Amino acid sequence: MTLEEAIAQRWDTRTKPQGSLGRLETLAADYCRTKNHPLPRLEAIGLYLFAADHGITEEAISLYPSAVTGQMLDNFRAGGAAVNVLAGLHQIQLHIVDAGVGRGTHNFARQPAMESDRLDAALQAGRMQAREAASLYDAVGIGEMGIGNTTSAAAILAALAGRSGSEVAGPGTGLSPDQVAHKAAVIDRALALHSLQRTHPKEILRCVGGLEIAQMTGFLLEASELRLPVMLDGFITTAAALLAQAMHPPSRAVMLFAHRSAEPAHQRMLQMLDAQPLLELDLRLGEGTGAILGLSLLRAAVLLYRDMASFTSASVSEAGPIH
Amino acid sequence: MTLEEAIAQRWDTRTKPQGSLGRLETLAADYCRTKNHPLPRLEAIGLYLFAADHGITEEAISLYPSAVTGQMLDNFRAGGAAVNVLAGLHQIQLHIVDAGVGRGTHNFARQPAMESDRLDAALQAGRMQAREAASLYDAVGIGEMGIGNTTSAAAILAALAGRSGSEVAGPGTGLSPDQVAHKAAVIDRALALHSLQRTHPKEILRCVGGLEIAQMTGFLLEASELRLPVMLDGFITTAAALLAQAMHPPSRAVMLFAHRSAEPAHQRMLQMLDAQPLLELDLRLGEGTGAILGLSLLRAAVLLYRDMASFTSASVSEAGPIH
């Protein structure tokens, strides 16, 4: 029996009409495929939250001062942020990764965001985090914090998809339409400065990326090697997913998509990844909050797949020709 | 300060961009309004699962024999069904209510589903369950089991909305298009037999309802008196919600909607209730499985609202004019 046959047989012998658990059935099947196992375990779950500062905040593209990134790092450590509340509720272990707070990127409207060796170090650091994650957890989520990083994520999307600033810039934490237009102009300026349209993904990441985005990209590339399922969060984590897919297309197989963000260009990213997210709750916070809700659905799906009784074991009659 | 002002102030001083938790913010606000309290507790949660047999199964409208209702009741009690797995995962207490298994309704294609005194007893029994629920829980969900009950729920929708059988009948547990057409014809026959188009909701319930649907209707009417928030599940529980709203429009205020079912006419029901469900996962199982996922989101929303740090307490800078 092939893996696909084993998955279909198990779902179809559980005590429910065939297919009636909808997306939860396909979600558990995706998990089995990633694990290459007909009845994989899903117990320990972790969330890796990558934080970094962004030089692009000099261009006045966020409502929040750059210092908020570090302040929120303290808030994560003290347990007061949204992600702490959700991780506690769903028994998901939170790992806070300082990917460059206080020593963030350069202002990419004026110069490349980072040097080549810094990019390589960030990619490698992300790979190390994934190796740790695979030793501790059956599945993980990733999230991020970095004032200014929707501008970086939007610039990455524009460069990868050959789009203009106005097609990718959104309100982020709550910009007005005029402020969004300014953000779009900053992105267009950077795309021209670095000659980024449709160039190599690693070069895009070096020129307009962020250190948390680079670490998440490395994390996904390594997770792909390790067959570790990774639940993506929103707009910024999905920019890392786009980069990982562009660098190594098979990495798409370990990615799960939690939700469609309220940030408008997230939809375009999801299409480029052929991804149907599980939730649509107008979230636009980041931190991994959406990823945790997605992981909670993943846990439910796998638990149903593993723990439901079969028609035989529960002595329930199966569907048959209508009599 | 009004309740609305208190809710807005609390959300807007939590450490996150304003509105960035999207539907979770409106969900917690709805909960506060139902409880008429600016910081309501949400600890104990229960799920009431109403099961009953349906005489309409004589008309060959389901893939499953009617005996499956009782067999599934045993499965619920033994802990092997989907709802057991999800209730255990999310620490929601399950109450199984035998609303008429083994002594179900009459075949409503030939005679009224129940006598007036039986309807009154079922409505009253549902009210008693809600009174118990309000003494035990801060919020509850409702779910159902009853082979044949999508036909009953579709007939209720047709009668309330002035629609034909073909506009309300769907595949239920998995009917083929021909079988759906037969189900639609059975519904049309029943609507004509009982002269049900746009008559009083209680008469509709008596003629084409089910005993579990009647108990859920009573449950919602009593929950409305007690300001007990009730998370609805899918197509059949929403038929009960339509009846409760038609009998007593203010009852709409305690209803929360977990998901959009894969049963096509569920969307029409949700429109009649002006409801935007939280999830869309192509579920069509019932049992309260969708309601539990919705309750998990409600718990997350209220916990975020209650437990997140404020900008002041966490020493995080607020949004300001861009500098």
Side-chain angles (χ1 to χ4, degrees), chain A residues 178-198:
Chain A
D178 279 358
Q179 292 165 333
V180 174
H182 168 67
K183 180 172 167 179
V186 169
I187 291 168
D188 284 332
R189 187 144 48 93
L191 292 172
L193 174 67
H194 304 296
S195 307
L196 279 189
Q197 292 290 4
R198 295 185 181 280

Side-chain angles (χ1 to χ4, degrees), chain A residues 52-250:
Chain A
D53 279 325
H54 291 260
I56 194 68
T57 53
E58 290 174 14
E59 301 295 329
I61 42 65
S62 176
L63 298 180
Y64 289 84
S66 189
V68 165
T69 306
Q71 293 166 354
M72 284 300 294
L73 205 66
D74 292 339
N75 196 21
F76 299 141
R77 288 175 174 145
V83 70
N84 299 103
V85 175
L86 292 178
L89 173 62
H90 290 296
Q91 296 177 58
I92 288 171
Q93 192 69 38
L94 186 57
H95 294 254
I96 296 152
V97 182
D98 180 348
V101 180
R103 43 208 164 79
T105 47
H106 306 301
N107 177 353
F108 68 69
R110 297 175 180 272
Q111 66 187 104
M114 60 192 98
E115 296 74 21
S116 286
D117 57 348
R118 204 153 187 224
L119 169 59
D120 288 337
L123 287 166
Q124 190 55 30
R127 283 182 177 271
M128 295 291 290
Q129 296 290 346
R131 239 168 285 163
E132 179 199 273
S135 75
L136 295 172
Y137 304 111
D138 300 313
V140 297
I142 57 175
E144 47 55 49
M145 171 74 212
I147 298 297
N149 67 6
T150 62
T151 304
S152 177
I156 290 164
L157 170 60
L160 283 170
R163 299 286 175 172
S164 68
S166 63
E167 292 176 286
V168 297
T173 54
L175 297 179
S176 70
D178 279 358
Q179 292 165 333
V180 174
H182 168 67
K183 180 172 167 179
V186 169
I187 291 168
D188 284 332
R189 187 144 48 93
L191 292 172
L193 174 67
H194 304 296
S195 307
L196 279 189
Q197 292 290 4
R198 295 185 181 280
T199 182
H200 188 276
K202 200 169 160 186
E203 179 66 4
I204 293 169
L205 181 50
R206 186 181 72 81
C207 289
V208 298
L211 291 158
E212 82 283 47
I213 296 173
Q215 285 217 23
M216 293 192 294
T217 304
F219 190 98
L220 286 165
L221 293 170
E222 188 70 19
S224 168
E225 309 282 328
L226 302 166
R227 304 189 79 107
L228 174 67
V230 182
M231 185 68 70
L232 279 294
D233 192 35
F235 189 64
I236 294 102
T237 61
T238 309
L242 282 177
L243 290 164
Q245 177 180 252
M247 291 180 193
H248 184 62

Side-chain angles (χ1 to χ4, degrees), chain A residues 16 19 88 127 226 244 257 317:
Chain A
K16 59 167 188 56
R127 283 182 177 271
L226 302 166
F257 293 86
S317 305

